[in-house]
Amino acid sequence: MEDNVIVRLDNCSIAFDGETVLNNLSLDIHDEEFVTLLGPSGCGKTTTLRFIGGFLTPDSGRVLFDGKDVTHVPPYKREVNTVFQRYALFPHLNVFENIAFGLRLKKVPENEIKELVGEMIELVNLRGFESRKIGAMSGGQQQRVAIARALVNKPRILLLDEPLGALDLKLRKDMQVELKRIQQQLDITFVYVTHDQEEALTMSDTVVVMNDGIIQQIGTPEDIYNEPRNAFVADFIGESNIIEGIMHEDYLVQFAGEKFKCVDKGFEKDEFVDVVVRPEDIQIVTPNKGDLWGVVKSVVFKGVHFEMLIEQAGYTWKVHSTQSAEPGAQVGLKIGPDEIHIMKRSEA
Amino acid sequence: MINKKARIAGVPYVIWMVVFIVAPLCMVAWYAFTDKSGQFTIDNISSIGQYAPVFARSIWLALIATVICLLLAFPLSYLISRMSGARQSLMIMLIMLPMWMNFLLRTYAWMTLLENNGLINRFLGLFGLGPFQMINTQGAVVLGMVYNYLPFMILPLYSIMTKIDDSIINAAKDLGANMWQVTWRVIIPLAMPGITTGITMVFVPSISTFIISRMLGGGGNILIGDLIEMQFLGNTYNPHLGSAMALVLMVIVLLCMSIANQFDDEEMEGMLL
Ligand SMILES: Nc1ncnc2c1ncn2[C@@H]1O[C@H](COP(=O)(O)OP(=O)(O)OP(=O)(O)O)[C@@H](O)[C@H]1O
Ligand SMILES: [Mg+2]
């Protein structure tokens, strides 16, 4: 893995108006990888992309391309293209000319432009729209134009800043599949920004979870989901029950007034920790068979499963199950050792 | 599609337009095509030929002034449109500031600056330079036009450029455009409506001005405006010839404007950002 790093952000920091937005951010992006920057609004995702695109120079730190320092290289000299958060298509040009923009700048011969743009239009399913004005295209179509306009330049890296943010759910899903297909077909590195965790988990090879300008965790979607490193990641990636606990010794944790076997170790004796349990990892059983027992407060049908809130000794557990229970009923909760994730208390 | 209420609301404007625009135009046309005894004639129009050099000079100087205004205003407007909100309003206020002063006064101020023993020549004299002949030259006339009408170029350019989103400019850079290419391929096409408005707003008053040429151009650089003024207020009193000149001037302006608008039409479609 080490030798095919295409972009390296090395300790990049930046502040706007005295307020630190990114703090010592370091990130390696590998060739042909689909990397997703995931985090809540304002956490610095777009700012990170702008470092890579060359629209912003970090106050300190370096941006490396193939090992070469490009921190101060302007955007038009980088082998990177961007799909902007709001597409930023040229309103004075039609679909064909929007896509051809980069090629014309490179003085590509006219017949070649026709061919390359034609291929792109094919790729993003926009045949027949060539001479349409941008204003006469729907959001989803504009989005495809933006992708084609960037890809036609054969960039080594494509930056996508919440490209699907403005689309409805159905179109989003379709485009997710389409983008993944395009990425695999063209073997281009994608750096994708989203604040939709599901989108990140579905599409990416690597997910970078950010908060407040700091990388919280880097890993495969499975890692991020199953082994969240801290309470923020656990909470942000899917719904979670996060509860305070004490790690008595390796493989033994106490929370909600009970001791549980777990699979984590390496904590200090009696260290205070955060315990994370996914709602779908809690089993509802009869009260006498449970590790914990509580009272069902509410039941909501969510399409595939029921979401239940169960109150137990002052803590409300969120449980997802395909079986429902009656509100007011007493139930037992069973949590297996594999389902218990222990993390260090976040400083906050 | 216009409903009844809208029509009634429009009546005062129609009356206004008839009384103050259509009627005077008709009178100008009537004067232009009659002689002193009220007989129809085209002598007024045909005799304008002898003033061709004045017309040519007017068009030429107005063109130069317009081009200079455009070249000055374009980068300035762009820079202002990229500033933060508070700075933008400050800059626009500074640009408007001279316009709060009387037009005659402003032009008069330039006289005292440009005179042979005016401020500029005296200042240069301190270094043993000059005196230079600055007043009563075509250069001085153009300077007066540029100085007085520059804000009319800046305002429409600025207001259209504020609508060009940063991300569109970034997109062009991202696709490989340097600042020069960004300007030609993105900013200018998108600013086209503002450019044509600005050109109109500078060219029209420039080509018809008479005060600027009188005060800064001396007797040797009279323009159409001066000619027309002389026909009405001077001792050559001849409103028929004056009207004919005004009519020809109007045709020239309309021609120039339709040329400018030609550029506009294509770009305008789908402009809504
Ligand atoms: N040019 C700027 N001047 C001042 N502050 C800025 C600037 N650009 C970004 N910021 C601030 O930096 C922080 C991070 O911005 P950024 O655009 O990177 O967020 P983001 O993660 O992309 O959010 P979103 O999901 O809403 O797009 C925000 O608080 C934003 O207000
Ligand atoms: Mg953003």
Side-chain angles (χ1 to χ4, degrees), chain A residues 233-244:
Chain A
V233 178
D235 194 34
F236 197 74
I237 306 289
E239 292 169 285
S240 287
N241 296 288
I242 301 176
I243 187 168
E244 289 172 18

Side-chain angles (χ1 to χ4, degrees), chain B residues 47-268:
Chain B
S47 67
I48 284 176
Q50 69 193 86
Y51 300 105
V54 180
F55 275 80
R57 184 190 304 133
S58 300
I59 296 172
W60 178 237
L61 294 186
L63 267 181
I64 295 179
T66 308
V67 169
I68 294 177
C69 280
L70 184 57
L71 292 180
L72 289 176
F74 193 90
L76 182 62
S77 310
Y78 180 73
L79 289 179
I80 297 175
S81 75
R82 299 299 112 180
M83 290 176 179
S84 67
R87 282 243 200 115
Q88 284 189 17
S89 346
L90 177 70
M91 289 299 292
I92 289 302
M93 207 188 73
L94 286 178
I95 284 160
M96 302 284 289
L97 204 59
M99 297 177 73
W100 299 352
M101 228 185 323
N102 182 281
F103 179 83
L104 275 174
L105 213 64
R106 270 182 282 159
T107 313
Y108 200 75
W110 274 111
M111 269 176 87
T112 61
L113 283 172
L114 298 175
E115 269 164 0
N116 287 348
N117 57 354
L119 276 175
I120 295 177
N121 268 326
R122 268 191 272 163
F123 177 75
L124 290 176
L126 295 179
F127 305 97
L129 299 167
F132 295 99
Q133 174 69 38
M134 289 184 288
I135 195 86
N136 300 346
T137 59
Q138 294 194 351
V141 176
V142 170
L143 177 73
M145 289 173 176
V146 170
Y147 178 75
N148 280 307
Y149 303 132
L150 185 62
F152 296 126
M153 184 67 87
I154 293 176
L155 290 181
L157 279 181
Y158 159 76
S159 69
I160 195 130
M161 283 176 176
T162 52
K163 294 199 197 109
I164 303 178
D165 204 86
D166 264 340
S167 66
I168 289 192
I169 289 159
N170 280 340
K173 289 187 192 164
D174 181 81
L175 293 166
N178 56 33
M179 205 49 221
W180 187 244
Q181 290 166 318
V182 172
T183 306
W184 275 102
R185 287 169 182 263
V186 177
I187 302 176
I188 290 182
L190 288 178
M192 216 26 144
I195 294 175
T196 50
T197 308
I199 289 177
T200 312
M201 306 242 302
V202 172
F203 184 75
V204 172
S206 294
I207 199 174
S208 53
T209 183
F210 56 95
I211 290 180
I212 295 175
S213 48
R214 169 100 47 81
M215 294 173 88
L216 302 177
N221 290 309
I222 61 167
L223 303 180
I224 308 176
D226 303 287
L227 271 184
I228 296 174
E229 194 223 3
M230 279 189 255
Q231 309 310 318
F232 288 95
L233 301 173
N235 32 20
T236 54
Y237 182 72
N238 184 352
H240 299 280
L241 180 58
S243 298
M245 289 172 171
L247 217 55
V248 172
L249 175 61
M250 219 169 72
V251 172
I252 293 175
V253 168
L254 284 177
L255 273 178
C256 294
M257 289 312 88
S258 61
I259 293 172
N261 279 330
Q262 212 79 73
F263 287 98
D264 223 16
D265 289 346
E266 254 172 65
E267 313 293 353
M268 278 298 285

